[in-house]
Amino acid sequence: GDSVTQKEGLVTLTEGLPVMLNCTYQTIYSNAFLFWYVHYLNESPRLLLKSSTDNKRTEHQGFHATLHKSSSSFHLQKSSAQLSDSALYYCALSDPQGGRALIFGTGTTVSVSP
Amino acid sequence: GALVYQYPRRTICKSGTSMRMECQAVGFQATSVAWYRQSPQKTFELIALSTVNSAIKYEQNFTQEKFPISHPNLSFSSMTVLNAYLEDRGLYLCGARGNSQNTLYFGAGTRLSVL
């Protein structure tokens, strides 16, 4: 079945440094969509990025990710982490038609310190 | 914009009793609503997917008898946790999306505590 793997459970870094969160996936769909959601405590999980076409970079709020079908990856990156980036980050996968629920990875906690 | 309101935000119930949580979509038509539970390890476990005019599909380990869901129109869904016990504690999240959309819009969750 479909699955999403986030290998880092916790990422700790100092403010100003770059951050990359890994996301790989398995799916039967050649045109699946990949997403990054950010979840702050006591708030709704919020969409951060949605994948575009193969090898095209998508950006939002300083974060960016590129869908690479050849490696089944959709890694999240930011060039300079901020304290406010401390949160839970989830990578998720959807079938092309949106007929099934999102499949989530296990999440990565990002902790940014001064 | 698309918003999803979920309530109550927190609830406490006695062991063996039931509690109901509700999910309201604003600004779009929620043709599908997915209910998740966030595990203690922070994983999103899918409970069920409800699509208007289709049967509700429950995932393995979750049943209609334990988590009955109602999705009567394009803006509202509810889920009940029947006979709640300690293992049912956690944060329950609803995610809604419109027709032909892939993006899920989430509520802030209902945190269930069981005494």
Side-chain angles (χ1 to χ4, degrees):
Chain A
D2 296 344
S3 66
V4 176
T5 300
Q6 293 179 248
K7 64 179 186 180
E8 304 105 351
L10 172 66
V11 170
T12 57
L13 68 157
T14 304
E15 185 180 20
L17 292 181
V19 58
M20 185 169 95
L21 307 185
N22 281 278
C23 173
T24 56
Y25 62 93
Q26 285 187 312
T27 180
I28 61 174
Y29 301 103
S30 59
N31 293 319
F33 286 96
L34 273 293
F35 302 82
W36 278 100
Y37 279 83
V38 59
H39 191 197
Y40 291 95
L41 189 63
N42 297 323
E43 294 185 14
S44 307
R46 176 169 56 85
L47 178 67
L48 185 57
L49 286 174
K50 177 181 175 180
S51 66
S52 181
T53 51
D54 194 16
N55 297 316
K56 184 173 180 180
R57 172 169 156 153
T58 56
E59 300 187 37
H60 185 62
Q61 296 183 336
F63 289 91
H64 62 92
T66 303
L67 179 66
H68 291 297
K69 292 185 180 181
S70 60
S71 57
S72 298
S73 67
F74 190 58
H75 305 319
L76 182 68
Q77 299 182 68
K78 189 175 185 182
S79 58
S80 177
Q82 299 176 301
L83 295 177
S84 58
D85 294 329
S86 296
L88 261 168
Y89 291 80
Y90 291 95
C91 185
L93 176 149
S94 170
D95 65 292
Q97 286 75 34
R100 300 173 57 191
L102 289 184
I103 304 298
F104 282 87
T106 49
T108 299
T109 299
V110 173
S111 177
V112 183
S113 56
Chain B
L3 291 172
V4 175
Y5 293 101
Q6 188 173 349
Y7 38 88
R9 293 291 303 272
R10 292 178 178 272
T11 186
I12 302 173
C13 66
K14 291 183 179 180
S15 181
T17 64
S18 302
M19 70 79 52
R20 181 169 177 253
M21 56 194 78
E22 300 180 345
C23 185
Q24 183 90 33
V26 177
F28 69 105
Q29 294 184 326
T31 53
S32 295
V33 175
W35 288 91
Y36 294 86
R37 181 171 66 194
Q38 190 179 44
S39 71
Q41 296 74 30
K42 304 302 181 186
T43 304
F44 283 10
E45 301 172 296
L46 176 63
I47 297 171
L49 174 67
S50 172
T51 303
V52 171
N53 298 325
S54 295
I56 298 171
K57 185 178 184 300
Y58 285 84
E59 293 296 300
Q60 195 172 9
N61 300 326
F62 296 97
T63 66
Q64 183 180 6
E65 289 71 31
K66 174 70 175 177
F67 300 97
I69 290 170
S70 172
H71 189 182
N73 56 54
L74 293 172
S75 63
F76 180 82
S77 178
S78 67
M79 184 177 76
T80 302
V81 181
L82 294 176
N83 300 316
Y85 289 99
L86 289 177
E87 58 265 28
D88 297 318
R89 292 174 301 175
L91 181 68
Y92 289 82
L93 291 157
C94 70
R97 66 183 170 203
N99 200 25
S100 301
Q101 287 184 348
N102 308 93
T103 303
L104 272 184
Y105 297 97
F106 282 93
T110 297
R111 186 165 297 280
L112 173 63
S113 299
V114 181
L115 300 178

Short mmCIF file of all heavy atoms in Angstrom, two decimals, chain B residues 17-77:
data_model
loop_
_atom_site.label_atom_id
_atom_site.label_comp_id
_atom_site.label_asym_id
_atom_site.label_seq_id
_atom_site.Cartn_x
_atom_site.Cartn_y
_atom_site.Cartn_z
N THR B 17 -18.20 5.98 29.13
CA THR B 17 -19.19 6.89 28.57
C THR B 17 -18.75 7.30 27.16
O THR B 17 -17.69 6.92 26.69
CB THR B 17 -19.38 8.14 29.44
OG1 THR B 17 -18.16 8.88 29.49
CG2 THR B 17 -19.78 7.74 30.85
N SER B 18 -19.60 8.08 26.53
CA SER B 18 -19.35 8.44 25.13
C SER B 18 -19.26 9.95 24.97
O SER B 18 -19.78 10.69 25.79
CB SER B 18 -20.48 7.90 24.25
OG SER B 18 -20.59 6.50 24.39
N MET B 19 -18.56 10.37 23.94
CA MET B 19 -18.49 11.79 23.67
C MET B 19 -18.51 12.03 22.15
O MET B 19 -18.03 11.20 21.38
CB MET B 19 -17.27 12.43 24.31
CG MET B 19 -15.93 12.07 23.73
SD MET B 19 -15.53 12.97 22.19
CE MET B 19 -15.81 14.64 22.72
N ARG B 20 -19.06 13.17 21.79
CA ARG B 20 -19.25 13.50 20.38
C ARG B 20 -18.44 14.75 20.04
O ARG B 20 -18.43 15.71 20.80
CB ARG B 20 -20.72 13.74 20.12
CG ARG B 20 -21.10 14.08 18.68
CD ARG B 20 -22.62 14.01 18.56
NE ARG B 20 -23.08 14.39 17.23
CZ ARG B 20 -23.69 15.52 16.95
NH1 ARG B 20 -23.87 16.42 17.90
NH2 ARG B 20 -24.11 15.78 15.72
N MET B 21 -17.78 14.73 18.90
CA MET B 21 -17.05 15.89 18.44
C MET B 21 -17.57 16.28 17.06
O MET B 21 -18.03 15.43 16.29
CB MET B 21 -15.55 15.59 18.40
CG MET B 21 -15.17 14.40 17.58
SD MET B 21 -13.46 13.86 17.88
CE MET B 21 -13.61 12.98 19.42
N GLU B 22 -17.48 17.57 16.78
CA GLU B 22 -18.09 18.09 15.56
C GLU B 22 -17.10 18.89 14.73
O GLU B 22 -16.15 19.47 15.25
CB GLU B 22 -19.30 18.96 15.92
CG GLU B 22 -20.36 18.20 16.69
CD GLU B 22 -21.56 19.05 17.06
OE1 GLU B 22 -21.45 20.30 16.98
OE2 GLU B 22 -22.60 18.48 17.41
N CYS B 23 -17.37 18.94 13.45
CA CYS B 23 -16.46 19.56 12.50
C CYS B 23 -17.29 20.38 11.52
O CYS B 23 -18.21 19.85 10.89
CB CYS B 23 -15.70 18.44 11.79
SG CYS B 23 -14.42 18.96 10.67
N GLN B 24 -16.97 21.66 11.40
CA GLN B 24 -17.74 22.56 10.55
C GLN B 24 -16.82 23.19 9.51
O GLN B 24 -15.82 23.82 9.85
CB GLN B 24 -18.36 23.67 11.41
CG GLN B 24 -19.25 24.64 10.68
CD GLN B 24 -20.70 24.18 10.66
OE1 GLN B 24 -21.17 23.56 11.60
NE2 GLN B 24 -21.39 24.46 9.58
N ALA B 25 -17.17 23.03 8.23
CA ALA B 25 -16.39 23.64 7.16
C ALA B 25 -17.01 24.97 6.76
O ALA B 25 -18.23 25.09 6.61
CB ALA B 25 -16.36 22.70 5.95
N VAL B 26 -16.16 25.97 6.59
CA VAL B 26 -16.61 27.30 6.21
C VAL B 26 -15.82 27.76 4.99
O VAL B 26 -14.61 27.63 4.95
CB VAL B 26 -16.41 28.30 7.37
CG1 VAL B 26 -16.79 29.70 6.96
CG2 VAL B 26 -17.20 27.87 8.59
N GLY B 27 -16.54 28.26 4.00
CA GLY B 27 -15.87 28.80 2.82
C GLY B 27 -15.67 27.81 1.69
O GLY B 27 -15.12 28.16 0.64
N PHE B 28 -16.08 26.59 1.89
CA PHE B 28 -16.00 25.59 0.82
C PHE B 28 -16.96 24.45 1.17
O PHE B 28 -17.44 24.34 2.28
CB PHE B 28 -14.56 25.06 0.67
CG PHE B 28 -14.07 24.20 1.80
CD1 PHE B 28 -13.97 22.81 1.66
CD2 PHE B 28 -13.72 24.77 3.02
CE1 PHE B 28 -13.52 22.03 2.71
CE2 PHE B 28 -13.26 23.99 4.07
CZ PHE B 28 -13.17 22.62 3.91
N GLN B 29 -17.19 23.62 0.19
CA GLN B 29 -18.09 22.50 0.39
C GLN B 29 -17.27 21.25 0.72
O GLN B 29 -16.47 20.80 -0.10
CB GLN B 29 -18.93 22.25 -0.87
CG GLN B 29 -19.90 23.39 -1.16
CD GLN B 29 -20.80 23.08 -2.35
OE1 GLN B 29 -20.37 22.43 -3.29
NE2 GLN B 29 -22.04 23.54 -2.31
N ALA B 30 -17.49 20.73 1.90
CA ALA B 30 -16.72 19.59 2.38
C ALA B 30 -17.32 18.29 1.85
O ALA B 30 -18.13 17.66 2.51
CB ALA B 30 -16.67 19.58 3.90
N THR B 31 -16.93 17.92 0.65
CA THR B 31 -17.46 16.68 0.10
C THR B 31 -16.85 15.46 0.78
O THR B 31 -17.47 14.40 0.82
CB THR B 31 -17.21 16.60 -1.41
OG1 THR B 31 -15.81 16.80 -1.66
CG2 THR B 31 -17.99 17.65 -2.15
N SER B 32 -15.64 15.61 1.31
CA SER B 32 -15.00 14.53 2.04
C SER B 32 -14.49 15.05 3.38
O SER B 32 -13.95 16.16 3.45
CB SER B 32 -13.82 13.95 1.26
OG SER B 32 -14.24 13.33 0.09
N VAL B 33 -14.67 14.23 4.40
CA VAL B 33 -14.13 14.54 5.72
C VAL B 33 -13.38 13.32 6.22
O VAL B 33 -13.95 12.21 6.25
CB VAL B 33 -15.22 14.93 6.72
CG1 VAL B 33 -14.62 15.14 8.12
CG2 VAL B 33 -15.93 16.20 6.27
N ALA B 34 -12.13 13.52 6.58
CA ALA B 34 -11.32 12.44 7.14
C ALA B 34 -11.11 12.70 8.63
O ALA B 34 -10.85 13.83 9.03
CB ALA B 34 -9.97 12.36 6.44
N TRP B 35 -11.28 11.66 9.41
CA TRP B 35 -11.05 11.76 10.86
C TRP B 35 -9.76 11.02 11.20
O TRP B 35 -9.56 9.88 10.78
CB TRP B 35 -12.23 11.17 11.62
CG TRP B 35 -13.46 12.04 11.55
CD1 TRP B 35 -14.46 11.98 10.64
CD2 TRP B 35 -13.80 13.10 12.45
NE1 TRP B 35 -15.41 12.95 10.90
CE2 TRP B 35 -15.02 13.65 12.01
CE3 TRP B 35 -13.17 13.66 13.58
CZ2 TRP B 35 -15.65 14.72 12.66
CZ3 TRP B 35 -13.79 14.72 14.22
CH2 TRP B 35 -15.02 15.24 13.77
N TYR B 36 -8.90 11.71 11.95
CA TYR B 36 -7.62 11.15 12.37
C TYR B 36 -7.51 11.22 13.89
O TYR B 36 -8.14 12.04 14.54
CB TYR B 36 -6.45 11.96 11.78
CG TYR B 36 -6.30 11.91 10.28
CD1 TYR B 36 -7.01 12.78 9.46
CD2 TYR B 36 -5.42 11.02 9.68
CE1 TYR B 36 -6.85 12.76 8.08
CE2 TYR B 36 -5.25 10.99 8.31
CZ TYR B 36 -5.97 11.87 7.52
OH TYR B 36 -5.80 11.85 6.15
N ARG B 37 -6.64 10.36 14.40
CA ARG B 37 -6.25 10.47 15.81
C ARG B 37 -4.73 10.61 15.84
O ARG B 37 -4.02 9.83 15.19
CB ARG B 37 -6.69 9.25 16.61
CG ARG B 37 -6.31 9.35 18.09
CD ARG B 37 -6.95 8.24 18.90
NE ARG B 37 -6.46 6.92 18.55
CZ ARG B 37 -7.03 5.78 18.92
NH1 ARG B 37 -8.15 5.83 19.63
NH2 ARG B 37 -6.51 4.63 18.58
N GLN B 38 -4.28 11.58 16.59
CA GLN B 38 -2.84 11.75 16.75
C GLN B 38 -2.39 10.88 17.91
O GLN B 38 -2.83 11.04 19.05
CB GLN B 38 -2.49 13.20 17.01
CG GLN B 38 -1.00 13.50 16.96
CD GLN B 38 -0.70 14.97 17.20
OE1 GLN B 38 -1.25 15.61 18.09
NE2 GLN B 38 0.19 15.54 16.38
N SER B 39 -1.50 9.95 17.60
CA SER B 39 -1.03 9.00 18.61
C SER B 39 -0.09 9.70 19.59
O SER B 39 0.38 10.81 19.32
CB SER B 39 -0.32 7.85 17.92
OG SER B 39 0.94 8.31 17.41
N PRO B 40 0.21 9.05 20.72
CA PRO B 40 1.19 9.63 21.65
C PRO B 40 2.54 9.88 20.99
O PRO B 40 3.28 10.78 21.40
CB PRO B 40 1.30 8.56 22.75
CG PRO B 40 -0.02 7.87 22.71
CD PRO B 40 -0.43 7.85 21.26
N GLN B 41 2.85 9.12 19.95
CA GLN B 41 4.09 9.33 19.21
C GLN B 41 3.93 10.41 18.14
O GLN B 41 4.84 10.64 17.36
CB GLN B 41 4.55 8.02 18.54
CG GLN B 41 4.91 6.91 19.50
CD GLN B 41 3.70 6.26 20.15
OE1 GLN B 41 2.64 6.20 19.56
NE2 GLN B 41 3.86 5.79 21.37
N LYS B 42 2.78 11.05 18.11
CA LYS B 42 2.47 12.18 17.22
C LYS B 42 2.13 11.76 15.80
O LYS B 42 2.00 12.59 14.92
CB LYS B 42 3.61 13.22 17.20
CG LYS B 42 3.96 13.74 18.58
CD LYS B 42 2.78 14.37 19.26
CE LYS B 42 3.15 14.92 20.63
NZ LYS B 42 1.95 15.42 21.36
N THR B 43 1.98 10.46 15.56
CA THR B 43 1.58 9.99 14.24
C THR B 43 0.10 10.25 14.01
O THR B 43 -0.70 10.14 14.94
CB THR B 43 1.85 8.48 14.12
OG1 THR B 43 3.22 8.23 14.39
CG2 THR B 43 1.49 7.97 12.74
N PHE B 44 -0.29 10.60 12.77
CA PHE B 44 -1.70 10.77 12.42
C PHE B 44 -2.24 9.41 11.97
O PHE B 44 -1.93 8.93 10.89
CB PHE B 44 -1.85 11.77 11.29
CG PHE B 44 -1.72 13.21 11.68
CD1 PHE B 44 -1.28 13.57 12.95
CD2 PHE B 44 -2.02 14.22 10.80
CE1 PHE B 44 -1.14 14.89 13.31
CE2 PHE B 44 -1.89 15.55 11.16
CZ PHE B 44 -1.45 15.88 12.41
N GLU B 45 -3.09 8.81 12.82
CA GLU B 45 -3.72 7.56 12.45
C GLU B 45 -5.07 7.87 11.79
O GLU B 45 -5.91 8.53 12.40
CB GLU B 45 -3.99 6.70 13.69
CG GLU B 45 -2.75 6.35 14.49
CD GLU B 45 -3.13 5.66 15.79
OE1 GLU B 45 -3.80 6.32 16.64
OE2 GLU B 45 -2.78 4.50 15.96
N LEU B 46 -5.28 7.38 10.59
CA LEU B 46 -6.54 7.59 9.91
C LEU B 46 -7.59 6.67 10.51
O LEU B 46 -7.39 5.46 10.59
CB LEU B 46 -6.39 7.31 8.42
CG LEU B 46 -7.66 7.41 7.58
CD1 LEU B 46 -8.23 8.83 7.60
CD2 LEU B 46 -7.39 6.98 6.14
N ILE B 47 -8.71 7.27 10.92
CA ILE B 47 -9.81 6.48 11.48
C ILE B 47 -10.76 6.09 10.36
O ILE B 47 -11.08 4.92 10.18
CB ILE B 47 -10.57 7.29 12.56
CG1 ILE B 47 -9.64 7.60 13.73
CG2 ILE B 47 -11.81 6.54 13.02
CD1 ILE B 47 -10.22 8.57 14.75
N ALA B 48 -11.22 7.10 9.62
CA ALA B 48 -12.19 6.83 8.55
C ALA B 48 -12.26 8.02 7.62
O ALA B 48 -11.89 9.14 7.97
CB ALA B 48 -13.57 6.55 9.13
N LEU B 49 -12.73 7.75 6.42
CA LEU B 49 -12.97 8.79 5.42
C LEU B 49 -14.45 8.76 5.07
O LEU B 49 -14.98 7.71 4.68
CB LEU B 49 -12.13 8.55 4.17
CG LEU B 49 -12.40 9.51 3.00
CD1 LEU B 49 -11.96 10.92 3.36
CD2 LEU B 49 -11.69 9.02 1.73
N SER B 50 -15.08 9.92 5.19
CA SER B 50 -16.49 10.03 4.87
C SER B 50 -16.66 10.92 3.64
O SER B 50 -16.16 12.04 3.62
CB SER B 50 -17.24 10.65 6.06
OG SER B 50 -18.58 10.94 5.71
N THR B 51 -17.34 10.42 2.65
CA THR B 51 -17.62 11.19 1.44
C THR B 51 -19.12 11.25 1.26
O THR B 51 -19.80 10.22 1.32
CB THR B 51 -16.95 10.55 0.22
OG1 THR B 51 -15.55 10.44 0.45
CG2 THR B 51 -17.18 11.38 -1.03
N VAL B 52 -19.62 12.45 1.02
CA VAL B 52 -21.07 12.61 0.87
C VAL B 52 -21.57 11.71 -0.26
O VAL B 52 -20.96 11.61 -1.31
CB VAL B 52 -21.40 14.08 0.56
CG1 VAL B 52 -22.86 14.23 0.19
CG2 VAL B 52 -21.09 14.96 1.76
N ASN B 53 -22.68 11.04 0.01
CA ASN B 53 -23.32 10.13 -0.94
C ASN B 53 -22.51 8.85 -1.20
O ASN B 53 -22.75 8.16 -2.19
CB ASN B 53 -23.63 10.83 -2.28
CG ASN B 53 -24.60 11.97 -2.12
OD1 ASN B 53 -25.51 11.90 -1.29
ND2 ASN B 53 -24.41 13.02 -2.89
N SER B 54 -21.57 8.56 -0.32
CA SER B 54 -20.83 7.29 -0.40
C SER B 54 -20.74 6.68 0.98
O SER B 54 -20.94 7.36 1.98
CB SER B 54 -19.42 7.52 -0.95
OG SER B 54 -19.46 7.97 -2.27
N ALA B 55 -20.45 5.41 1.01
CA ALA B 55 -20.30 4.73 2.30
C ALA B 55 -19.05 5.24 3.01
O ALA B 55 -18.05 5.58 2.37
CB ALA B 55 -20.21 3.23 2.08
N ILE B 56 -19.10 5.29 4.33
CA ILE B 56 -17.95 5.71 5.12
C ILE B 56 -16.96 4.54 5.18
O ILE B 56 -17.33 3.42 5.48
CB ILE B 56 -18.39 6.12 6.54
CG1 ILE B 56 -19.35 7.30 6.44
CG2 ILE B 56 -17.17 6.48 7.39
CD1 ILE B 56 -20.03 7.65 7.75
N LYS B 57 -15.69 4.86 4.88
CA LYS B 57 -14.69 3.80 4.86
C LYS B 57 -13.82 3.89 6.10
O LYS B 57 -13.10 4.87 6.30
CB LYS B 57 -13.84 3.92 3.60
CG LYS B 57 -12.83 2.80 3.43
CD LYS B 57 -12.05 2.95 2.14
CE LYS B 57 -11.11 1.77 1.93
NZ LYS B 57 -10.13 1.62 3.02
N TYR B 58 -13.87 2.85 6.92
CA TYR B 58 -13.08 2.79 8.14
C TYR B 58 -11.77 2.04 7.90
O TYR B 58 -11.75 1.06 7.15
CB TYR B 58 -13.87 2.10 9.26
CG TYR B 58 -14.96 2.97 9.85
CD1 TYR B 58 -16.21 3.06 9.24
CD2 TYR B 58 -14.73 3.72 11.01
CE1 TYR B 58 -17.20 3.86 9.77
CE2 TYR B 58 -15.73 4.52 11.55
CZ TYR B 58 -16.95 4.59 10.92
OH TYR B 58 -17.93 5.40 11.44
N GLU B 59 -10.73 2.50 8.56
CA GLU B 59 -9.45 1.82 8.48
C GLU B 59 -9.43 0.63 9.44
O GLU B 59 -10.26 0.53 10.35
CB GLU B 59 -8.32 2.80 8.83
CG GLU B 59 -8.15 3.90 7.82
CD GLU B 59 -7.75 3.40 6.45
OE1 GLU B 59 -6.68 2.77 6.33
OE2 GLU B 59 -8.51 3.64 5.49
N GLN B 60 -8.45 -0.22 9.20
CA GLN B 60 -8.28 -1.37 10.08
C GLN B 60 -8.07 -0.88 11.51
O GLN B 60 -7.40 0.12 11.74
CB GLN B 60 -7.08 -2.19 9.61
CG GLN B 60 -7.01 -3.57 10.20
CD GLN B 60 -5.91 -4.40 9.57
OE1 GLN B 60 -5.09 -3.89 8.81
NE2 GLN B 60 -5.88 -5.67 9.87
N ASN B 61 -8.62 -1.54 12.45
CA ASN B 61 -8.55 -1.23 13.88
C ASN B 61 -9.54 -0.16 14.32
O ASN B 61 -9.57 0.20 15.49
CB ASN B 61 -7.13 -0.81 14.31
CG ASN B 61 -6.09 -1.88 14.06
OD1 ASN B 61 -6.38 -3.07 14.16
ND2 ASN B 61 -4.90 -1.47 13.70
N PHE B 62 -10.30 0.37 13.40
CA PHE B 62 -11.33 1.33 13.75
C PHE B 62 -12.65 0.86 13.14
O PHE B 62 -12.69 0.45 11.98
CB PHE B 62 -10.98 2.72 13.22
CG PHE B 62 -9.74 3.31 13.82
CD1 PHE B 62 -8.53 3.22 13.17
CD2 PHE B 62 -9.79 3.96 15.05
CE1 PHE B 62 -7.37 3.75 13.72
CE2 PHE B 62 -8.65 4.50 15.61
CZ PHE B 62 -7.44 4.39 14.95
N THR B 63 -13.73 0.91 13.94
CA THR B 63 -15.02 0.41 13.46
C THR B 63 -16.13 1.44 13.64
O THR B 63 -16.04 2.34 14.49
CB THR B 63 -15.42 -0.87 14.20
OG1 THR B 63 -15.66 -0.54 15.59
CG2 THR B 63 -14.34 -1.93 14.10
N GLN B 64 -17.17 1.24 12.87
CA GLN B 64 -18.35 2.10 12.98
C GLN B 64 -19.02 1.92 14.35
O GLN B 64 -19.61 2.85 14.89
CB GLN B 64 -19.33 1.77 11.87
CG GLN B 64 -20.56 2.66 11.87
CD GLN B 64 -21.53 2.31 10.77
OE1 GLN B 64 -21.34 1.31 10.05
NE2 GLN B 64 -22.55 3.11 10.59
N GLU B 65 -18.90 0.73 14.89
CA GLU B 65 -19.52 0.44 16.18
C GLU B 65 -18.86 1.23 17.30
O GLU B 65 -19.47 1.51 18.32
CB GLU B 65 -19.44 -1.05 16.49
CG GLU B 65 -20.35 -1.94 15.61
CD GLU B 65 -19.86 -2.03 14.18
OE1 GLU B 65 -18.62 -1.96 13.96
OE2 GLU B 65 -20.72 -2.17 13.28
N LYS B 66 -17.61 1.56 17.12
CA LYS B 66 -16.86 2.30 18.14
C LYS B 66 -16.79 3.80 17.83
O LYS B 66 -16.83 4.62 18.74
CB LYS B 66 -15.44 1.72 18.21
CG LYS B 66 -14.48 2.45 19.12
CD LYS B 66 -14.82 2.27 20.59
CE LYS B 66 -13.75 2.92 21.46
NZ LYS B 66 -14.07 2.82 22.90
N PHE B 67 -16.69 4.13 16.55
CA PHE B 67 -16.53 5.53 16.12
C PHE B 67 -17.56 5.88 15.05
O PHE B 67 -17.21 6.14 13.90
CB PHE B 67 -15.12 5.76 15.56
CG PHE B 67 -14.00 5.49 16.51
CD1 PHE B 67 -13.33 4.27 16.50
CD2 PHE B 67 -13.60 6.46 17.43
CE1 PHE B 67 -12.28 4.02 17.38
CE2 PHE B 67 -12.55 6.23 18.31
CZ PHE B 67 -11.90 5.00 18.29
N PRO B 68 -18.83 5.90 15.40
CA PRO B 68 -19.84 6.24 14.39
C PRO B 68 -19.67 7.68 13.91
O PRO B 68 -19.42 8.59 14.68
CB PRO B 68 -21.16 6.05 15.14
CG PRO B 68 -20.82 6.15 16.59
CD PRO B 68 -19.42 5.61 16.72
N ILE B 69 -19.80 7.85 12.60
CA ILE B 69 -19.60 9.15 11.95
C ILE B 69 -20.88 9.54 11.23
O ILE B 69 -21.53 8.71 10.60
CB ILE B 69 -18.42 9.08 10.96
CG1 ILE B 69 -17.09 8.94 11.72
CG2 ILE B 69 -18.39 10.30 10.04
CD1 ILE B 69 -15.90 8.63 10.82
N SER B 70 -21.19 10.82 11.31
CA SER B 70 -22.30 11.39 10.55
C SER B 70 -21.77 12.50 9.65
O SER B 70 -20.93 13.30 10.06
CB SER B 70 -23.35 11.96 11.53
OG SER B 70 -24.33 12.68 10.82
N HIS B 71 -22.24 12.51 8.42
CA HIS B 71 -21.80 13.53 7.45
C HIS B 71 -23.04 13.91 6.63
O HIS B 71 -23.16 13.57 5.46
CB HIS B 71 -20.70 12.95 6.57
CG HIS B 71 -20.02 13.96 5.69
ND1 HIS B 71 -19.02 13.59 4.81
CD2 HIS B 71 -20.16 15.29 5.55
CE1 HIS B 71 -18.61 14.66 4.15
NE2 HIS B 71 -19.28 15.70 4.59
N PRO B 72 -23.97 14.63 7.27
CA PRO B 72 -25.28 14.85 6.65
C PRO B 72 -25.32 15.88 5.54
O PRO B 72 -26.27 15.86 4.73
CB PRO B 72 -26.12 15.33 7.84
CG PRO B 72 -25.14 16.01 8.74
CD PRO B 72 -23.87 15.20 8.61
N ASN B 73 -24.35 16.78 5.47
CA ASN B 73 -24.37 17.79 4.41
C ASN B 73 -22.93 18.23 4.11
O ASN B 73 -21.98 17.69 4.67
CB ASN B 73 -25.24 18.97 4.84
CG ASN B 73 -24.79 19.57 6.16
OD1 ASN B 73 -23.63 19.95 6.33
ND2 ASN B 73 -25.71 19.65 7.12
N LEU B 74 -22.82 19.22 3.23
CA LEU B 74 -21.49 19.61 2.73
C LEU B 74 -20.74 20.58 3.63
O LEU B 74 -19.72 21.13 3.24
CB LEU B 74 -21.64 20.22 1.33
CG LEU B 74 -22.10 19.26 0.25
CD1 LEU B 74 -22.40 20.01 -1.03
CD2 LEU B 74 -21.04 18.19 0.00
N SER B 75 -21.25 20.78 4.85
CA SER B 75 -20.53 21.67 5.75
C SER B 75 -20.30 21.09 7.14
O SER B 75 -19.63 21.70 7.96
CB SER B 75 -21.27 23.01 5.90
OG SER B 75 -22.54 22.79 6.48
N PHE B 76 -20.83 19.92 7.40
CA PHE B 76 -20.81 19.42 8.77
C PHE B 76 -20.54 17.92 8.83
O PHE B 76 -21.03 17.14 8.01
CB PHE B 76 -22.16 19.72 9.43
CG PHE B 76 -22.26 19.25 10.85
CD1 PHE B 76 -21.74 20.01 11.88
CD2 PHE B 76 -22.86 18.03 11.15
CE1 PHE B 76 -21.81 19.58 13.19
CE2 PHE B 76 -22.95 17.59 12.46
CZ PHE B 76 -22.43 18.37 13.48
N SER B 77 -19.75 17.54 9.83
CA SER B 77 -19.55 16.14 10.13
C SER B 77 -19.34 15.99 11.63
O SER B 77 -18.84 16.91 12.29
CB SER B 77 -18.33 15.58 9.37
OG SER B 77 -18.11 14.21 9.70
#
